[in-house]
Structures are given as structure tokens and as C-alpha cells.
């Protein structure tokens, strides 16, 4: 699949998130103020942060579509990972603000129970975000977009946050008005947890981290390629939504240059067919059997 077409498809998911957050944040903030629900208000601020985060993802995807140039021979694909990192900072700032506001509400004097209508608004918002999450998750998995998958995870956390806010509001109707701001604390903590997860994933990718189990799976595919006697070394890293692989294989030293090249081509075909990885750099070396004298010497 064309990576640039994939990025364009990912932009649709970012726009879907932005549209949903614009609508829901306005409804929640207005209803939270009118119905005196700090949990619903906190949820509304959460959605406001998500607008900025989704906008950052959208900008990152747009930059990723730029073709390679002299300064970026590998393209600009990592821009979407940087955008996800920026989004995590935005979410963390809002999460902290929600915790501060909830703490002030808990330490305040008399508190009236919020209108139960605010709970139904929160539940309706949760259903909307579950739909957006399902759409973005399927799309992100299909186009292998880390940034859009991070946005999808944020969509899911927002749905859970709205459910938690509704639970707190319903609970406050039973003589426990303090339960509403406590639910707001839970909202803030969940925002921070989601922000940390996106931050960790983004920094792991930007520092060329790669999942060990996935690397072993890729190694197994190459090892089973006809003509490969041994893998001397293999490395992989993520570049935006693409995986880049560098592998050193050893083959029969009696093979011709053309035959060795054919093995390299077969490795590239197998990696693209089985793992949807088109960026594979194969270095070929002659295989040498360990001699008996060398073994005894060691």
C-alpha cells in the first residue's frame, strides 16, 4: 500500500475526532455549568484538550505527506510521531488542571448534588466516542499509523471518562454530593495515564526502540527464506507508520552474485507480503563453517 495514501486516510480519522470533540466539549461545558456538575465540566475540558491533541496529530500527518528532499532523504514520516508526542504534553497539562480544579471543589464548603440529566449527557457522549474509537482503531490498524492509534486510544479513554463521570453524578443523587468531584479526580488521573502512555510510545519510537517479539517474528521469516544459511545481524526501527529493516545474511559462498541478489529480492518480497514491510536493506556475506581447529582453540 502507498504510504502517502495511508496518511491521507489517517487524516480522515483525525478530522472525525476533531468534529466529535468540538461538539461534545461544547455540550458538556455548557451542561456542566448549567446543571452544576464538576465531573461533566472536567470531562468537557478533557475533550477540549483532545481537540488540540487531534489537531496536532492532523498537522503531523500533513507534514508526513511531504516527499523526501535533500534534508530528509527518508521522507518526513516521523512528523506524525512528533505530533503524538506534542499531543501527550497537551493532555498532561489539561489533566493536571482538572485535578487542581477537582481538589478545590472537594475542599469547598456546601455542595449541591448535580442535576441527574448531566449523567445522561455523559452516557450519550460515551456512546459517541465509542463509535469514533472503533472507526479510528480499525483505520489505524489497516494503515499502520501510530499517531492515529494513539488518537484512538484517547477516544477510548474519553468514553471511559464519560462513563466514570456519569457514575459519579448518579452516586451524588444518593446523598453523596462529594462523589461528583471525586469522579472528576478520576477523570484527571485517567487523562494523565493516557498522556503517559502516548508519551512513552512516542519517545520509544523516536529513540529507535523496537518490540523484541516482533523483531523475532521478522527474523523467523527471513531465516526460512530459501538460500539463507544464517542471519548475522538484524535491526529494525519505526519511521512514522513504516518499519525499516537492516539485516545481514550469510549465504553459500559458491553462489554467484546474481543468485545472492535473487535471495535478497525474495526476502524483500516475503517481508512485504507477510508483514507489509517494503523498506528492507539486505547485506549479503559468505557463510563460513566453523573449523575444527578454531573450535578447539576456543
Amino acid at each position: 500500500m502507498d504510504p502517502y495514501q495511508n496518511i491521507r486516510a489517517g487524516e480522515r480519522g483525525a478530522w472525525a475526532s476533531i468534529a466529535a470533540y468540538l461538539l461534545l466539549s461544547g455540550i458538556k461545558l455548557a451542561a456542566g455549568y448549567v446543571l452544576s456538575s464538576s465531573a461533566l465540566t472536567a470531562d468537557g475540558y478533557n475533550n477540549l484538550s483532545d481537540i488540540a491533541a487531534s489537531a496536532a496529530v492532523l498537522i503531523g500527518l500533513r507534514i508526513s505527506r511531504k516527499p523526501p528532499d535533500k534534508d530528509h532523504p527518508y521522507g518526513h514520516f516521523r512528523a506524525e510521531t512528533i505530533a503524538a508526542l506534542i499531543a501527550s504534553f497537551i493532555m498532561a497539562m489539561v489533566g493536571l488542571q482538572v485535578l487542581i480544579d477537582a481538589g478545590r471543589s472537594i475542599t469547598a464548603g456546601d455542595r449541591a448534588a448535580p442535576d441527574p440529566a448531566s449523567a445522561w449527557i455523559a452516557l450519550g457522549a460515551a456512546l459517541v466516542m465509542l463509535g469514533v474509537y472503533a472507526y479510528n482503531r480499525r483505520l489505524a490498524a489497516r494503515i499502520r499509523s501510530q499517531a492515529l492509534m494513539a488518537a484512538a486510544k484517547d477516544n477510548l479513554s474519553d468514553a471511559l471518562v464519560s462513563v466514570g463521570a456519569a457514575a459519579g453524578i448518579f452516586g451524588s443523587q444518593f446523598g453523596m454530593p462529594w462523589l461528583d468531584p471525586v469522579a472528576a479526580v478520576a477523570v484527571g488521573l485517567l487523562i494523565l495515564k493516557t498522556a503517559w502512555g502516548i508519551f512513552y510510545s512516542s519517545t520509544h519510537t523516536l529513540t529507535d526502540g523496537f518490540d523484541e517479539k516482533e523483531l523475532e517474528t521478522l527474523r523467523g521469516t527471513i531465516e526460512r527464506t530459501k538460500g539463507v544459511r544464517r542471519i548475522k545481524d538484524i535491526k529494525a526501527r519505526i519511521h512514522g507508520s513504516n518499519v525499516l529493516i537492516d539485516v545481514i545474511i550469510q549465504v553459500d559462498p559458491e553462489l554467484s552474485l546474481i543468485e545472492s541478489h535473487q535471495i535478497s529480492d525474495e526476502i524483500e518480497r516475503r517481508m512485504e507480503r507477510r508483514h507489509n514491510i517494503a523498506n528492507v536493506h539486505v547485506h549479503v556475506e559468505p557463510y563460513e563453517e566453523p573449523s575444527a581447529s578454531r573450535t578447539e582453540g576456543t
Side-chain angles (χ1 to χ4, degrees), residues 5-20:
Q5 291 293 337
N6 287 344
I7 293 172
R8 291 189 183 93
E11 291 178 11
R12 293 198 298 268
W15 276 118
S17 293
I18 290 173

Side-chain angles (χ1 to χ4, degrees), residues 170-194:
F170 280 131
S172 67
Q173 305 304 309
F174 298 95
M176 295 180 292
W178 51 266
L179 194 57
D180 182 56
V182 168
V185 172
V187 168
L189 292 175
L190 189 51
I191 295 172
L192 291 177
K193 181 179 181 296
T194 303

Side-chain angles (χ1 to χ4, degrees), residues 42-155:
D43 198 5
Y45 280 121
N46 176 34
N47 289 158
L48 274 181
S49 74
D50 295 321
I51 293 173
S54 295
V57 169
L58 179 63
I59 293 171
L61 290 170
R62 285 287 178 89
I63 296 174
S64 296
R65 279 206 279 135
K66 294 177 62 178
D69 53 33
K70 292 182 179 180
D71 292 335
H72 303 84
Y74 289 98
H76 299 74
F77 296 112
R78 277 190 171 171
E80 64 172 288
T81 309
I82 295 173
L85 182 63
I86 294 172
S88 72
F89 292 144
I90 296 173
M91 293 174 63
M93 291 173 60
V94 174
L96 289 173
Q97 185 60 51
V98 168
L99 286 178
I100 293 171
D101 292 342
R104 289 172 180 169
S105 179
I106 291 174
T107 57
D110 296 333
R111 289 183 298 272
D115 192 304
S118 59
W120 294 110
I121 293 174
L123 288 177
L127 290 176
V128 172
M129 290 316 305
L130 282 174
V132 177
Y133 160 72
Y135 173 76
N136 280 340
R137 184 179 183 278
R138 286 195 300 267
L139 181 58
R142 181 169 63 85
I143 66 176
R144 299 173 62 97
S145 173
Q146 284 192 322
L148 189 58
M149 185 59 77
K153 291 179 180 178
D154 188 30
N155 298 150

